[in-house]
Amino acid sequence: MQELSVNLTIPIPEDSILITKNEWNELKEEKLRGVYWDMKQLEERIHRKQDWIKENILYQPRFIKKLDAEKGGFVYYPRAKGQKWSFQANKMADFLDKHFSDIFIQ
């Protein structure tokens, strides 16, 4: 079998850097670490209204055990009138990505 060996130089623009996929994922996660969303921010993030989010995600039996902070999750479910929803942004974003088809394709 014949082989061809090539030495190739690809210029990277001055305003760019090359990083690994792992480094990129760590940077994305770090950006959301310590950030919390309220319901309005979650609505804006997934382009759905609160009623839809509650019906299709937050109160779905298949998800509630994973989500509820009282069960070890990352969503604070209001327990009394006047309390607000709270979501750990990085974990909620991961959950939405992981369960995209379960949520949006029914």
Side-chain angles (χ1 to χ4, degrees):
M1 175 188 299
Q2 293 182 345
E3 290 184 11
L4 177 63
S5 179
V6 177
N7 186 8
L8 179 65
T9 301
I10 301 173
I12 299 174
E14 289 291 325
D15 63 344
S16 300
I17 61 170
L18 187 62
I19 62 173
T20 67
K21 188 180 274 190
N22 283 344
E23 289 171 314
W24 172 248
N25 288 332
E26 288 174 14
L27 287 170
K28 286 192 323 185
E29 186 176 312
E30 182 65 32
K31 181 179 177 184
L32 292 176
R33 190 169 290 131
V35 174
Y36 298 89
W37 294 334
D38 60 16
M39 181 59 79
K40 193 65 157 167
Q41 290 166 310
L42 183 59
E43 285 179 328
E44 291 169 3
R45 184 82 174 189
I46 64 173
H47 306 288
R48 295 287 195 268
K49 293 293 182 189
Q50 183 175 160
D51 291 340
W52 187 95
I53 293 170
K54 289 177 183 177
E55 180 180 331
N56 292 281
I57 302 172
L58 299 173
Y59 289 124
Q60 278 293 316
R62 66 184 189 266
F63 297 141
I64 199 165
K65 291 177 186 172
K66 295 176 188 175
L67 297 173
D68 192 341
E70 287 189 358
K71 295 175 175 67
F74 43 89
V75 175
Y76 173 74
Y77 283 71
R79 304 297 183 212
K81 190 171 182 145
Q83 291 181 333
K84 298 193 181 289
W85 290 87
S86 187
F87 308 88
Q88 282 182 285
N90 63 332
K91 292 181 180 179
M92 190 66 191
D94 288 344
F95 175 85
L96 293 169
D97 287 343
K98 183 178 179 182
H99 296 281
F100 179 84
S101 60
D102 299 328
I103 294 167
F104 294 98
I105 302 171
Q106 298 180 18

